[in-house]
Amino acid sequence: MSSPSNAPASSKPTSRPGAKRRRSPLPRIVVALVVVAALAAAGWYWTQRGAADQAGAFRTTEVERGNIRVAISATGTLSAISTIVVGSQISGQVTDVLVDFNSEVKQGDVLARIDPSTYEAQIEQGNAQVAAARASQAQAQATLRNAELDYRRKADLGTRQLVAQADIDQARAAFEQAQAQVNSTQAQIRQQSASLQTTQVNLDRTVIRSPVDGVVLTRTIEPGQTVAASLQAPELFTIAEDLSKMKIELAVDEADIGQIRPGQTVTFSADAFSDRQFRGVVDQVRLAATTTNNVVTYPVVVSVDNADGTLLPGLTVNAEIEVSNREGVLKVSNAALRYKPVGDTAIAPAAGGRGGAGMSEEFERIASTLDLNPEQRAAFDAAVAEQRQRSEAARQSMGQQQRGAAAGGGGPPPGAMVMRAGGGGDANLQAQIRQRMLERMQQNFADFTRTLDEGQRQRWNAALASSLSATRATLYRLVDGRREPVQVRIGASDGSSTEVIGNLSEGDVIITGERAAR
């Protein structure tokens, strides 16, 4: 019997001595690629998640392009441009009233009559006094002629020593007295004539006439009423000279009065015509301020065309004065202007501006209001091009200074000022910087301004000064989840949105606040 260990070896597979198995590298490459792709996907996911989390930490709004209309609201009262109060300069009883409320009158028309009896009697008395004075004058002249003849006779006899000198002197005195009496009677005649003329004037005043063409607004007398004009002229009628042209006196708050200028458009409504809107123009800003309960207001006079006669004197109106109407401008929500990150610091150019391109846009806007001729336009384009080159050179120089300061670990480069996110440095320093900028701009545009007439030059200088002294603020733009400060110039605001001018584009995302951490 044989043992199992002695089984034949032919039952197991055999191989050649020294032979090796070859495996393909493809599976390992596939595995490596899958691992790399997974790691990249994970990195991208965490990067995007971090950016999304950072972007989601802010409340934002977009820069929009649209219109901004700024208007100031005020209330006032309609009245005629010229209102005449007709009174009486004399006293007496009213006998006739010939007009009523709303009566149309012409200049010289009789409105009322006062009893003339008293003045007619005074006229008769005056005539009698003048006649008596003239009779006295005739008597005095007769006495004068007699005294003159007596004096001449005695003077002639005196030359022949036939009359005493005392008689001659007495005759001469009588002659001079007669001459004085004649002069006295002449003065009495002039006095009585003047008194008679005064009485005649008062008699004419018993007829009350209209001084202008217009409409009777009020009448305060009735026939039989007695008028007493001892201290001041009583008011009998009020006449509106022309109701086709009217005015509104608006009470504008002192905080808004600085924005009001003659020529601005006014829209208003009246409760009596609630379905209509009327228009007017600011005619005058008066300096006579009124203080009521510590509130200071200034009267603003608005002229209104009332050719159709719809508007009535005395109506209370609610008006809006359009102080600015900006069309097609970049604007942003006011919340973006209020956002100030805590502890953030931004470096703003000392010029406080928006760079060469932004200033070029501002120059174009100012020039568009000047009605330039081709020669002036060519001079303006040349000045703007030169200004743009200067600005570009200044930016390059500042960029080199910033890189040098960053390499050296120093502070801000020369020519820049550090501003907190919420404000802007020393006021005196900023005023000096703006003044230097204005002087430099005036020098750069000197060739252009020499081509302007006086009116254009004044408007250009005023607009340029206004642009450089305008309020500026720092907005924070959200770029790839990061906060980027952008300095802009503040323009018109309607209370919810504000015009911004600077290195911004329509659609830019601006931060308005930060969300609470979860």
Side-chain angles (χ1 to χ4, degrees):
M1 235 174 125
S2 59
S3 170
S5 61
N6 297 324
S10 59
S11 60
K12 295 181 180 180
T14 60
S15 59
R16 296 178 182 179
K20 294 182 179 180
R21 177 176 293 179
R22 296 180 178 275
R23 296 183 177 180
S24 173
L26 183 61
R28 295 180 180 179
I29 295 175
V30 171
V31 171
L33 291 176
V34 169
V35 171
V36 171
L39 292 175
W44 178 86
Y45 170 77
W46 285 107
T47 300
Q48 294 299 317
R49 180 178 179 181
D53 290 343
Q54 187 173 3
F58 299 107
R59 295 190 299 273
T60 61
T61 186
E62 289 189 359
V63 177
E64 301 176 346
R65 186 172 295 277
N67 302 336
I68 292 183
R69 179 179 179 270
V70 182
I72 296 174
S73 299
T75 59
T77 304
L78 270 166
S79 62
I81 290 182
S82 177
T83 301
I84 309 299
V85 176
V86 180
S88 175
Q89 294 178 278
I90 62 171
S91 302
Q93 187 178 37
V94 177
T95 58
D96 298 297
V97 178
L98 304 179
V99 295
D100 202 351
F101 294 91
N102 300 340
S103 295
E104 294 186 2
V105 296
K106 299 294 183 181
Q107 184 177 4
D109 286 355
V110 178
L111 306 179
R113 289 189 176 92
I114 296 176
D115 185 8
S117 302
T118 301
Y119 301 101
E120 289 174 347
Q122 291 178 359
I123 290 290
E124 293 296 330
Q125 182 181 2
N127 287 329
Q129 291 174 346
V130 170
R134 287 176 177 169
S136 298
Q137 181 186 28
Q139 183 179 1
Q141 288 176 342
T143 303
L144 175 62
R145 287 194 297 270
N146 185 46
E148 182 180 7
L149 293 174
D150 183 59
Y151 169 66
R152 288 179 178 176
R153 284 194 300 268
K154 291 182 178 180
D156 182 59
L157 294 173
T159 58
R160 292 179 288 173
Q161 302 295 322
L162 298 176
V163 179
Q165 185 63 38
D167 293 337
I168 297 175
D169 294 340
Q170 185 177 4
R172 181 177 178 177
F175 170 67
E176 292 176 350
Q177 289 175 0
Q179 181 67 53
Q181 185 64 32
V182 170
N183 295 337
S184 176
T185 56
Q186 290 176 347
Q188 289 177 5
I189 291 175
R190 289 194 298 269
Q191 180 182 4
Q192 296 300 330
S193 298
S195 178
L196 179 62
Q197 186 177 3
T198 301
T199 305
Q200 184 63 50
V201 169
N202 288 333
L203 179 62
D204 294 338
R205 288 173 177 170
T206 60
V207 180
I208 310 299
R209 300 180 183 274
S210 174
V212 294
D213 297 346
V215 178
V216 177
L217 298 182
T218 62
R219 187 195 72 181
T220 61
I221 58 170
E222 297 290 342
Q225 183 176 344
T226 300
V227 175
S230 57
L231 298 178
Q232 61 182 5
E235 299 179 2
L236 307 182
F237 303 94
T238 302
I239 299 177
E241 186 172 358
D242 184 8
L243 291 182
S244 64
K245 300 289 184 181
M246 302 189 71
K247 68 178 181 180
I248 308 172
E249 279 200 21
L250 298 176
V252 178
D253 189 85
E254 62 175 326
D256 300 323
I257 197 65
Q259 305 178 63
I260 308 299
R261 298 288 184 275
Q264 290 173 337
T265 302
V266 180
T267 58
F268 64 93
S269 61
D271 292 339
F273 309 100
S274 57
D275 58 337
R276 290 189 58 179
Q277 282 283 331
F278 303 92
R279 298 177 67 85
V281 177
V282 174
D283 185 59
Q284 185 182 40
V285 179
R286 293 180 177 172
L287 305 179
T290 301
T291 303
T292 305
N293 296 329
N294 294 327
V295 177
V296 180
T297 59
Y298 288 82
V300 175
V301 180
V302 178
S303 59
V304 179
D305 186 6
N306 188 36
D308 58 357
T310 301
L311 298 172
L312 305 176
L315 287 179
T316 299
V317 300
N318 300 310
E320 284 190 347
I321 304 173
E322 185 179 277
V323 299
S324 177
N325 189 5
R326 306 281 289 154
E327 297 182 354
V329 298
L330 293 178
K331 61 180 182 178
V332 70
S333 172
N334 286 352
L337 298 173
R338 294 191 293 268
Y339 171 67
K340 305 299 177 187
V342 179
D344 194 17
T345 302
I347 297 179
R354 299 158 281 136
M359 288 304 296
S360 298
E361 295 175 0
E362 185 67 11
F363 294 148
E364 287 286 352
R365 185 188 67 80
I366 297 173
S368 65
T369 64
L370 301 179
D371 299 327
L372 301 179
N373 59 36
E375 178 187 357
Q376 294 170 336
R377 185 69 201 186
F380 172 77
D381 292 340
V384 170
E386 186 177 354
Q387 176 65 29
R388 189 179 293 113
Q389 293 176 359
R390 290 193 181 97
S391 299
E392 183 64 27
R395 280 198 302 274
Q396 292 177 358
S397 175
M398 183 171 293
Q400 294 174 358
Q401 293 175 353
Q402 287 177 340
R403 288 191 294 271
M417 60 181 180
V418 177
M419 299 173 61
R420 301 299 299 178
D426 182 73
N428 292 331
L429 177 60
Q430 292 185 10
Q432 294 175 5
I433 292 173
R434 285 194 294 267
Q435 182 61 32
R436 288 198 295 269
M437 283 190 63
L438 178 59
E439 293 173 355
R440 186 163 60 250
M441 293 296 179
Q442 290 174 341
Q443 292 174 359
N444 295 344
F445 284 84
D447 292 340
F448 164 65
T449 54
R450 276 194 289 268
T451 66
L452 303 177
D453 59 35
E454 184 62 26
Q456 290 175 319
R457 188 178 300 108
Q458 290 180 357
R459 294 201 301 273
W460 166 264
N461 291 334
L464 188 62
S466 175
S467 175
L468 294 177
S469 63
T471 303
R472 287 170 170 79
T474 300
L475 299 180
Y476 289 85
R477 180 166 47 197
L478 191 61
V479 180
D480 296 331
R482 298 189 311 275
R483 198 169 52 197
E484 178 182 281
V486 180
Q487 193 179 47
V488 297
R489 187 169 74 88
I490 303 302
S493 176
D494 59 6
S496 60
S497 300
T498 299
E499 176 189 4
V500 289
I501 307 168
N503 187 23
L504 291 175
S505 300
E506 184 179 357
D508 284 353
V509 178
I510 306 298
I511 299 174
T512 61
E514 299 180 7
R515 302 184 187 277
R518 297 181 178 178

